[in-house]
Amino acid sequence: MAPTDTSTTRLDRGWRQLLGPDHLGPMVVLAGGVALYAINIYLTTSLLPSAVDEIGGARFYAWATTIFLVASVISAVLVSRLLAVAGPRGAYLAAIGLFAAGTVVCAAAPDMFVLLAGRGLQGFGGGLLSGLGYALIRSTLSQHLWARASALVSGMWGVGTFVGPALGGVFAQFGAWRLAFIVLALLAAGIAAIVPRYITGERIDGPRVGVPAVSMLLLSAAALLVSVAGIASNVALTALGVVAGVALLVAFVVHERRAVTRVLPAVTFTPGNTLKWTYATFALLAVASTAETFVPLFGQRLGGLEPLAAGFLGAALAVGWTLGEISSAGASRRSTVRALVVAGPALVTIGFLVAAATQREGATAWVIGVWVAALVLGGAGIGMAWPHLSTFAMGAEHDEVEGGKAAAAINTVQLVSNAVGSASAGVLVNLGGTMADSARLLFGFFAAFAAAGVLTAWRSTRPRP
Protein backbone atom coordinates (compact mmCIF):
# COMPACT_ATOMS: atom_id res chain seq x y z
CA MET A 1 0.00 0.00 0.00
CA ALA A 2 2.24 2.75 -1.23
CA PRO A 3 0.71 6.20 -1.75
CA THR A 4 1.45 7.76 -5.09
CA ASP A 5 2.92 11.17 -5.88
CA THR A 6 0.44 13.84 -6.91
CA SER A 7 0.45 17.53 -7.58
CA THR A 8 -1.19 20.19 -5.46
CA THR A 9 -3.94 20.44 -8.04
CA ARG A 10 -4.62 16.74 -7.67
CA LEU A 11 -4.78 17.06 -3.90
CA ASP A 12 -7.35 19.84 -4.21
CA ARG A 13 -9.31 17.72 -6.66
CA GLY A 14 -9.41 14.95 -4.07
CA TRP A 15 -11.39 17.12 -1.67
CA ARG A 16 -13.66 18.24 -4.49
CA GLN A 17 -14.22 14.62 -5.45
CA LEU A 18 -15.06 13.62 -1.88
CA LEU A 19 -17.58 16.45 -1.53
CA GLY A 20 -18.82 16.17 -5.11
CA PRO A 21 -22.13 14.68 -6.27
CA ASP A 22 -20.89 11.07 -6.21
CA HIS A 23 -19.82 11.05 -2.57
CA LEU A 24 -21.47 14.01 -0.83
CA GLY A 25 -24.58 12.05 0.17
CA PRO A 26 -22.72 9.15 1.84
CA MET A 27 -20.37 11.58 3.58
CA VAL A 28 -23.30 13.60 4.95
CA VAL A 29 -24.68 10.37 6.43
CA LEU A 30 -21.39 9.11 7.89
CA ALA A 31 -20.18 12.48 9.18
CA GLY A 32 -23.68 13.37 10.37
CA GLY A 33 -23.92 10.23 12.48
CA VAL A 34 -20.62 10.93 14.22
CA ALA A 35 -21.64 14.59 14.67
CA LEU A 36 -24.84 13.48 16.41
CA TYR A 37 -22.84 11.25 18.72
CA ALA A 38 -20.32 13.99 19.55
CA ILE A 39 -22.89 16.77 19.95
CA ASN A 40 -24.94 14.54 22.24
CA ILE A 41 -21.98 14.01 24.59
CA TYR A 42 -21.34 17.71 25.12
CA LEU A 43 -25.01 18.71 24.97
CA THR A 44 -25.97 16.25 27.70
CA THR A 45 -23.20 17.53 29.96
CA SER A 46 -24.78 21.00 29.71
CA LEU A 47 -28.34 19.74 30.22
CA LEU A 48 -27.90 17.29 33.10
CA PRO A 49 -27.96 19.90 35.92
CA SER A 50 -31.34 21.18 34.67
CA ALA A 51 -32.67 17.65 34.24
CA VAL A 52 -31.65 16.68 37.78
CA ASP A 53 -33.32 19.79 39.18
CA GLU A 54 -36.61 18.63 37.62
CA ILE A 55 -36.60 14.84 37.94
CA GLY A 56 -34.20 14.32 40.85
CA GLY A 57 -31.66 11.52 41.15
CA ALA A 58 -28.64 13.71 41.88
CA ARG A 59 -26.73 10.81 43.42
CA PHE A 60 -26.84 9.02 40.04
CA TYR A 61 -25.67 12.10 38.16
CA ALA A 62 -22.28 10.71 37.10
CA TRP A 63 -23.80 7.41 35.96
CA ALA A 64 -25.41 9.16 33.01
CA THR A 65 -21.95 9.42 31.46
CA THR A 66 -20.68 6.05 32.67
CA ILE A 67 -23.61 4.05 31.28
CA PHE A 68 -23.38 5.89 27.98
CA LEU A 69 -19.67 5.12 27.66
CA VAL A 70 -19.91 1.43 28.59
CA ALA A 71 -22.80 0.91 26.16
CA SER A 72 -20.78 2.65 23.43
CA VAL A 73 -17.79 0.36 24.00
CA ILE A 74 -19.95 -2.78 23.90
CA SER A 75 -21.70 -1.78 20.67
CA ALA A 76 -18.48 -0.62 19.00
CA VAL A 77 -17.21 -4.20 19.30
CA LEU A 78 -20.28 -5.44 17.41
CA VAL A 79 -19.97 -3.20 14.34
CA SER A 80 -18.39 -5.76 12.02
CA ARG A 81 -20.87 -8.45 13.14
CA LEU A 82 -23.82 -6.16 12.50
CA LEU A 83 -22.48 -5.34 9.03
CA ALA A 84 -22.17 -9.04 8.21
CA VAL A 85 -25.76 -9.75 9.32
CA ALA A 86 -27.65 -6.65 8.20
CA GLY A 87 -25.45 -5.08 5.53
CA PRO A 88 -24.37 -1.42 5.52
CA ARG A 89 -27.85 0.07 5.08
CA GLY A 90 -29.53 -2.14 7.66
CA ALA A 91 -26.68 -1.66 10.12
CA TYR A 92 -26.77 2.12 9.83
CA LEU A 93 -30.56 2.30 10.14
CA ALA A 94 -30.41 0.06 13.22
CA ALA A 95 -27.70 2.24 14.78
CA ILE A 96 -29.41 5.55 14.19
CA GLY A 97 -32.76 4.05 15.20
CA LEU A 98 -31.35 2.97 18.57
CA PHE A 99 -29.76 6.37 19.07
CA ALA A 100 -33.00 8.19 18.22
CA ALA A 101 -35.05 5.89 20.46
CA GLY A 102 -32.70 6.50 23.37
CA THR A 103 -32.88 10.24 22.79
CA VAL A 104 -36.69 10.16 22.84
CA VAL A 105 -36.59 8.15 26.10
CA CYS A 106 -34.32 10.82 27.59
CA ALA A 107 -36.69 13.57 26.47
CA ALA A 108 -39.69 11.84 28.08
CA ALA A 109 -37.91 10.58 31.22
CA PRO A 110 -40.05 11.05 34.36
CA ASP A 111 -37.18 10.08 36.67
CA MET A 112 -33.45 9.46 36.64
CA PHE A 113 -33.74 5.69 36.15
CA VAL A 114 -35.60 6.14 32.88
CA LEU A 115 -33.08 8.78 31.83
CA LEU A 116 -30.25 6.33 32.51
CA ALA A 117 -32.02 3.71 30.38
CA GLY A 118 -32.26 6.28 27.58
CA ARG A 119 -28.57 7.07 27.94
CA GLY A 120 -27.78 3.38 27.61
CA LEU A 121 -29.75 3.18 24.35
CA GLN A 122 -28.08 6.38 23.12
CA GLY A 123 -24.66 4.98 23.92
CA PHE A 124 -25.35 1.67 22.21
CA GLY A 125 -26.60 3.36 19.06
CA GLY A 126 -23.89 6.02 19.20
CA GLY A 127 -21.09 3.48 19.49
CA LEU A 128 -22.43 1.77 16.37
CA LEU A 129 -22.72 5.08 14.50
CA SER A 130 -19.16 6.08 15.33
CA GLY A 131 -17.74 2.67 14.40
CA LEU A 132 -19.74 2.53 11.17
CA GLY A 133 -18.36 5.95 10.30
CA TYR A 134 -14.93 4.34 9.81
CA ALA A 135 -16.02 0.89 8.61
CA LEU A 136 -18.19 2.26 5.79
CA ILE A 137 -15.49 4.65 4.60
CA ARG A 138 -13.47 1.59 3.73
CA SER A 139 -16.27 -0.20 1.88
CA THR A 140 -17.88 2.87 0.27
CA LEU A 141 -14.96 4.98 -1.00
CA SER A 142 -11.87 4.50 -3.13
CA GLN A 143 -8.65 4.13 -1.16
CA HIS A 144 -7.23 7.50 -2.25
CA LEU A 145 -10.17 9.19 -0.45
CA TRP A 146 -9.86 7.34 2.86
CA ALA A 147 -7.61 9.88 4.58
CA ARG A 148 -9.80 12.84 3.61
CA ALA A 149 -12.98 11.01 4.60
CA SER A 150 -11.46 10.00 7.94
CA ALA A 151 -10.46 13.62 8.54
CA LEU A 152 -13.99 14.78 7.80
CA VAL A 153 -15.64 12.15 9.99
CA SER A 154 -13.33 12.54 12.99
CA GLY A 155 -13.47 16.33 12.54
CA MET A 156 -17.10 16.11 13.68
CA TRP A 157 -15.76 15.83 17.24
CA GLY A 158 -14.62 19.43 16.83
CA VAL A 159 -18.11 20.36 15.71
CA GLY A 160 -19.52 18.62 18.78
CA THR A 161 -17.15 20.52 21.06
CA PHE A 162 -18.62 23.83 19.89
CA VAL A 163 -22.24 23.02 19.05
CA GLY A 164 -22.99 20.67 21.97
CA PRO A 165 -22.26 23.04 24.89
CA ALA A 166 -23.74 26.04 23.05
CA LEU A 167 -26.97 24.22 22.15
CA GLY A 168 -27.26 22.64 25.57
CA GLY A 169 -26.58 25.93 27.30
CA VAL A 170 -29.31 27.75 25.35
CA PHE A 171 -31.96 25.12 26.08
CA ALA A 172 -30.88 24.86 29.72
CA GLN A 173 -31.07 28.64 30.06
CA PHE A 174 -34.76 28.54 29.14
CA GLY A 175 -35.51 25.42 31.16
CA ALA A 176 -36.25 23.42 28.01
CA TRP A 177 -33.83 20.50 28.40
CA ARG A 178 -36.41 18.02 27.08
CA LEU A 179 -36.78 20.04 23.90
CA ALA A 180 -33.03 19.77 23.29
CA PHE A 181 -33.30 15.98 23.18
CA ILE A 182 -36.32 16.24 20.88
CA VAL A 183 -34.33 18.41 18.46
CA LEU A 184 -31.50 15.87 18.54
CA ALA A 185 -33.99 13.05 17.82
CA LEU A 186 -35.40 15.00 14.87
CA LEU A 187 -31.89 15.48 13.46
CA ALA A 188 -31.33 11.73 13.78
CA ALA A 189 -34.60 11.07 11.97
CA GLY A 190 -33.54 13.45 9.20
CA ILE A 191 -30.30 11.55 8.65
CA ALA A 192 -32.15 8.21 8.81
CA ALA A 193 -34.48 9.41 6.03
CA ILE A 194 -31.61 9.76 3.54
CA VAL A 195 -29.78 6.55 4.49
CA PRO A 196 -31.69 4.33 1.98
CA ARG A 197 -30.70 6.66 -0.85
CA TYR A 198 -27.00 6.94 -0.12
CA ILE A 199 -25.93 3.79 1.77
CA THR A 200 -25.90 0.49 -0.10
CA GLY A 201 -27.82 -2.51 1.19
CA GLU A 202 -25.32 -5.10 -0.09
CA ARG A 203 -23.94 -7.40 2.56
CA ILE A 204 -20.25 -8.26 2.75
CA ASP A 205 -19.74 -11.91 1.93
CA GLY A 206 -17.49 -13.84 4.25
CA PRO A 207 -17.45 -16.51 6.93
CA ARG A 208 -19.87 -15.96 9.79
CA VAL A 209 -18.13 -15.82 13.13
CA GLY A 210 -19.47 -15.75 16.63
CA VAL A 211 -19.63 -12.86 19.04
CA PRO A 212 -16.31 -12.33 20.90
CA ALA A 213 -17.98 -12.65 24.29
CA VAL A 214 -14.82 -12.85 26.41
CA SER A 215 -13.22 -9.88 24.65
CA MET A 216 -16.43 -7.87 25.04
CA LEU A 217 -16.59 -8.70 28.74
CA LEU A 218 -12.97 -7.64 29.32
CA LEU A 219 -13.37 -4.39 27.36
CA SER A 220 -16.67 -3.40 28.94
CA ALA A 221 -15.39 -4.24 32.44
CA ALA A 222 -12.28 -2.15 31.81
CA ALA A 223 -14.39 0.77 30.56
CA LEU A 224 -16.70 0.47 33.57
CA LEU A 225 -13.81 0.38 36.05
CA VAL A 226 -12.02 3.42 34.67
CA SER A 227 -15.29 5.34 34.33
CA VAL A 228 -16.25 4.68 37.93
CA ALA A 229 -12.69 5.52 38.95
CA GLY A 230 -13.05 8.86 37.21
CA ILE A 231 -16.01 9.84 39.42
CA ALA A 232 -14.63 8.50 42.72
CA SER A 233 -13.92 11.17 45.32
CA ASN A 234 -10.98 9.32 46.86
CA VAL A 235 -7.76 9.67 44.85
CA ALA A 236 -6.48 6.27 46.01
CA LEU A 237 -9.65 4.53 44.81
CA THR A 238 -9.46 6.43 41.54
CA ALA A 239 -5.86 5.36 40.98
CA LEU A 240 -6.71 1.76 41.89
CA GLY A 241 -9.61 1.77 39.43
CA VAL A 242 -7.40 3.06 36.62
CA VAL A 243 -4.72 0.44 37.33
CA ALA A 244 -7.33 -2.33 37.46
CA GLY A 245 -8.87 -1.10 34.22
CA VAL A 246 -5.50 -1.07 32.47
CA ALA A 247 -4.83 -4.59 33.79
CA LEU A 248 -8.08 -5.75 32.19
CA LEU A 249 -7.00 -4.14 28.91
CA VAL A 250 -3.73 -6.09 29.08
CA ALA A 251 -5.77 -9.24 29.69
CA PHE A 252 -7.88 -8.31 26.66
CA VAL A 253 -4.79 -8.11 24.44
CA VAL A 254 -3.46 -11.42 25.76
CA HIS A 255 -6.81 -13.09 25.09
CA GLU A 256 -7.08 -11.58 21.61
CA ARG A 257 -3.71 -13.05 20.62
CA ARG A 258 -4.97 -16.57 21.32
CA ALA A 259 -8.69 -16.32 20.56
CA VAL A 260 -10.41 -17.62 17.44
CA THR A 261 -13.21 -15.05 17.62
CA ARG A 262 -11.67 -11.61 18.03
CA VAL A 263 -12.49 -7.91 18.18
CA LEU A 264 -9.27 -6.98 16.39
CA PRO A 265 -8.33 -8.47 13.01
CA ALA A 266 -6.04 -11.49 13.18
CA VAL A 267 -3.31 -9.65 11.26
CA THR A 268 -2.84 -7.39 14.30
CA PHE A 269 -0.83 -10.12 15.98
CA THR A 270 1.10 -11.33 12.92
CA PRO A 271 4.86 -10.97 13.54
CA GLY A 272 6.24 -8.02 11.61
CA ASN A 273 2.84 -6.47 10.88
CA THR A 274 2.58 -2.82 11.90
CA LEU A 275 -1.16 -2.65 12.66
CA LYS A 276 -0.57 -3.12 16.39
CA TRP A 277 1.67 -0.04 16.37
CA THR A 278 -1.02 1.91 14.53
CA TYR A 279 -3.57 1.05 17.21
CA ALA A 280 -1.03 1.87 19.94
CA THR A 281 -0.51 5.31 18.39
CA PHE A 282 -4.26 5.88 18.22
CA ALA A 283 -4.50 4.94 21.90
CA LEU A 284 -1.70 7.27 23.04
CA LEU A 285 -3.06 10.22 21.04
CA ALA A 286 -6.60 9.59 22.29
CA VAL A 287 -5.37 9.52 25.89
CA ALA A 288 -3.50 12.79 25.35
CA SER A 289 -6.58 14.43 23.83
CA THR A 290 -8.49 14.08 27.12
CA ALA A 291 -6.30 16.79 28.64
CA GLU A 292 -8.93 19.21 27.32
CA THR A 293 -11.34 17.98 30.02
CA PHE A 294 -9.72 20.14 32.70
CA VAL A 295 -8.62 23.08 30.54
CA PRO A 296 -11.77 25.16 31.29
CA LEU A 297 -11.17 24.64 35.01
CA PHE A 298 -7.55 25.78 34.68
CA GLY A 299 -8.69 28.80 32.65
CA GLN A 300 -11.10 29.87 35.37
CA ARG A 301 -8.89 29.19 38.40
CA LEU A 302 -5.50 30.24 37.02
CA GLY A 303 -6.45 32.78 34.37
CA GLY A 304 -9.55 34.30 35.96
CA LEU A 305 -11.60 33.66 32.82
CA GLU A 306 -15.38 33.74 32.79
CA PRO A 307 -17.02 30.34 32.21
CA LEU A 308 -17.84 31.10 28.56
CA ALA A 309 -14.29 32.20 27.75
CA ALA A 310 -12.87 29.23 29.66
CA GLY A 311 -15.11 26.94 27.61
CA PHE A 312 -13.68 28.31 24.38
CA LEU A 313 -10.17 27.87 25.81
CA GLY A 314 -11.05 24.21 26.33
CA ALA A 315 -12.03 23.96 22.66
CA ALA A 316 -8.58 25.13 21.46
CA LEU A 317 -7.29 21.56 21.23
CA ALA A 318 -10.31 20.53 19.13
CA VAL A 319 -9.75 23.51 16.83
CA GLY A 320 -6.14 22.49 16.31
CA TRP A 321 -7.21 18.88 15.71
CA THR A 322 -9.63 19.93 12.96
CA LEU A 323 -7.11 22.29 11.34
CA GLY A 324 -4.42 19.61 11.42
CA GLU A 325 -6.69 17.06 9.79
CA ILE A 326 -7.92 19.30 7.00
CA SER A 327 -4.44 20.56 6.15
CA SER A 328 -2.73 17.15 6.16
CA ALA A 329 -5.37 14.72 4.87
CA GLY A 330 -4.59 15.43 1.21
CA ALA A 331 -0.94 14.37 1.50
CA SER A 332 -0.26 11.14 -0.38
CA ARG A 333 3.49 10.96 -1.06
CA ARG A 334 4.86 8.14 1.09
CA SER A 335 7.68 10.19 2.59
CA THR A 336 5.32 13.05 3.42
CA VAL A 337 2.78 10.75 5.05
CA ARG A 338 5.48 9.10 7.18
CA ALA A 339 6.77 12.50 8.26
CA LEU A 340 3.27 13.71 9.21
CA VAL A 341 2.46 10.60 11.23
CA VAL A 342 5.70 10.75 13.23
CA ALA A 343 5.66 14.54 13.60
CA GLY A 344 2.10 14.50 14.95
CA PRO A 345 2.87 13.04 18.40
CA ALA A 346 6.04 15.14 18.52
CA LEU A 347 3.98 18.32 18.14
CA VAL A 348 1.61 17.13 20.87
CA THR A 349 4.62 16.60 23.14
CA ILE A 350 6.00 20.08 22.44
CA GLY A 351 2.60 21.75 22.85
CA PHE A 352 1.90 20.04 26.17
CA LEU A 353 5.37 20.74 27.53
CA VAL A 354 4.89 24.44 26.73
CA ALA A 355 1.48 24.33 28.40
CA ALA A 356 2.97 22.64 31.47
CA ALA A 357 5.82 25.17 31.74
CA THR A 358 3.48 28.19 31.61
CA GLN A 359 0.82 27.15 34.13
CA ARG A 360 0.76 29.71 36.94
CA GLU A 361 -1.57 31.54 39.30
CA GLY A 362 -2.85 34.90 38.09
CA ALA A 363 -1.90 34.23 34.46
CA THR A 364 -1.80 37.37 32.33
CA ALA A 365 -3.39 37.75 28.91
CA TRP A 366 -0.18 36.91 27.07
CA VAL A 367 0.30 33.74 29.16
CA ILE A 368 -3.24 32.68 28.32
CA GLY A 369 -2.38 33.38 24.69
CA VAL A 370 0.55 30.97 25.02
CA TRP A 371 -1.84 28.35 26.44
CA VAL A 372 -4.10 28.76 23.41
CA ALA A 373 -1.17 28.43 21.00
CA ALA A 374 0.17 25.37 22.85
CA LEU A 375 -3.22 23.64 22.85
CA VAL A 376 -3.82 24.41 19.18
CA LEU A 377 -0.35 23.04 18.40
CA GLY A 378 -1.06 19.87 20.39
CA GLY A 379 -4.43 19.42 18.70
CA ALA A 380 -2.87 19.98 15.28
CA GLY A 381 -0.37 17.22 16.04
CA ILE A 382 -3.20 14.77 16.74
CA GLY A 383 -5.09 15.92 13.67
CA MET A 384 -2.22 15.70 11.21
CA ALA A 385 -1.50 12.07 12.16
CA TRP A 386 -5.05 10.78 12.66
CA PRO A 387 -6.35 10.48 9.06
CA HIS A 388 -3.20 8.72 7.86
CA LEU A 389 -3.23 6.34 10.81
CA SER A 390 -6.85 5.61 9.85
CA THR A 391 -5.73 4.80 6.32
CA PHE A 392 -3.02 2.49 7.69
CA ALA A 393 -5.65 0.59 9.70
CA MET A 394 -8.16 0.40 6.85
CA GLY A 395 -5.55 -0.88 4.42
CA ALA A 396 -3.97 -3.40 6.76
CA GLU A 397 -6.15 -6.26 5.54
CA HIS A 398 -7.42 -6.91 2.00
CA ASP A 399 -10.18 -9.28 3.10
CA GLU A 400 -13.46 -7.33 3.28
CA VAL A 401 -14.64 -8.80 6.58
CA GLU A 402 -11.26 -8.49 8.33
CA GLY A 403 -10.70 -5.07 6.75
CA GLY A 404 -14.04 -3.85 8.07
CA LYS A 405 -13.09 -5.17 11.48
CA ALA A 406 -9.78 -3.26 11.32
CA ALA A 407 -11.59 -0.03 10.44
CA ALA A 408 -14.28 -0.43 13.10
CA ALA A 409 -11.61 -1.11 15.74
CA ILE A 410 -10.36 2.49 15.35
CA ASN A 411 -13.45 3.67 17.19
CA THR A 412 -13.18 0.96 19.85
CA VAL A 413 -9.57 1.93 20.60
CA GLN A 414 -10.52 5.61 20.76
CA LEU A 415 -13.46 5.09 23.13
CA VAL A 416 -11.56 2.94 25.60
CA SER A 417 -8.51 5.22 25.48
CA ASN A 418 -10.66 8.28 26.11
CA ALA A 419 -12.07 6.58 29.21
CA VAL A 420 -8.60 5.73 30.50
CA GLY A 421 -7.34 9.22 29.71
CA SER A 422 -10.23 11.00 31.46
CA ALA A 423 -9.84 8.90 34.61
CA SER A 424 -6.05 9.35 34.58
CA ALA A 425 -6.51 13.10 34.22
CA GLY A 426 -8.69 13.08 37.32
CA VAL A 427 -5.99 11.26 39.29
CA LEU A 428 -3.28 13.68 38.19
CA VAL A 429 -5.34 16.77 39.01
CA ASN A 430 -6.14 15.42 42.48
CA LEU A 431 -2.46 14.70 43.15
CA GLY A 432 -1.42 18.32 42.64
CA GLY A 433 -0.93 20.42 45.76
CA THR A 434 -2.24 23.59 44.10
CA MET A 435 -4.22 24.18 40.92
CA ALA A 436 -1.05 25.28 39.12
CA ASP A 437 0.74 22.12 40.30
CA SER A 438 -2.20 20.02 39.09
CA ALA A 439 -2.11 21.66 35.67
CA ARG A 440 1.65 21.17 35.32
CA LEU A 441 1.34 17.53 36.42
CA LEU A 442 -1.47 16.84 33.95
CA PHE A 443 0.22 18.36 30.92
CA GLY A 444 3.60 16.92 31.87
CA PHE A 445 2.36 13.35 32.14
CA PHE A 446 0.28 13.58 29.00
CA ALA A 447 3.30 14.97 27.17
CA ALA A 448 5.07 11.74 28.15
CA PHE A 449 2.21 9.71 26.62
CA ALA A 450 2.55 11.70 23.42
CA ALA A 451 6.32 11.22 23.42
CA ALA A 452 5.78 7.45 23.55
CA GLY A 453 3.51 7.96 20.57
CA VAL A 454 6.47 9.21 18.52
CA LEU A 455 8.04 5.75 18.79
CA THR A 456 4.83 3.83 18.05
CA ALA A 457 4.08 6.17 15.13
CA TRP A 458 7.52 5.52 13.66
CA ARG A 459 6.98 1.77 14.02
CA SER A 460 3.58 2.09 12.32
CA THR A 461 5.15 3.68 9.21
CA ARG A 462 7.63 0.86 8.58
CA PRO A 463 6.99 -1.06 5.34
CA ARG A 464 4.75 -4.06 5.83
CA PRO A 465 6.03 -7.54 4.97
Side-chain angles (χ1 to χ4, degrees), residues 268-408:
T268 307
F269 305 102
T270 301
N273 191 279
T274 59
L275 183 57
K276 55 181 165 293
W277 300 113
T278 299
Y279 287 142
T281 309
F282 272 128
L284 291 166
L285 291 177
V287 167
S289 74
T290 59
E292 69 178 357
T293 306
F294 286 93
V295 169
L297 176 64
F298 298 153
Q300 291 185 55
R301 299 287 180 83
L302 302 179
L305 297 177
E306 295 296 325
L308 180 61
F312 281 112
L313 177 65
L317 190 140
V319 170
W321 187 331
T322 302
L323 293 175
E325 284 186 314
I326 293 174
S327 61
S328 73
S332 58
R333 184 177 298 172
R334 174 178 286 278
S335 59
T336 304
V337 169
R338 294 184 67 182
L340 288 170
V341 170
V342 176
L347 288 182
V348 180
T349 304
I350 294 170
F352 282 12
L353 287 176
V354 170
T358 55
Q359 299 299 310
R360 64 190 64 175
E361 301 282 352
T364 59
W366 77 266
V367 172
I368 295 174
V370 172
W371 295 350
V372 172
L375 290 170
V376 170
L377 181 66
I382 298 174
M384 66 194 292
W386 199 272
H388 301 293
L389 290 168
S390 300
T391 300
F392 291 171
M394 292 177 195
E397 177 59 74
H398 297 296
D399 178 78
E400 286 297 321
V401 174
E402 287 292 288
K405 190 186 296 185

Side-chain angles (χ1 to χ4, degrees), residues 40 88-89 105 132 164 167 187 189 194 242 266 281 331 354 374 399 403 406 413 453 457:
N40 174 68
R89 181 183 299 162
V105 170
L132 287 167
L167 192 63
L187 291 174
I194 64 174
V242 173
T281 309
V354 170
D399 178 78
V413 172

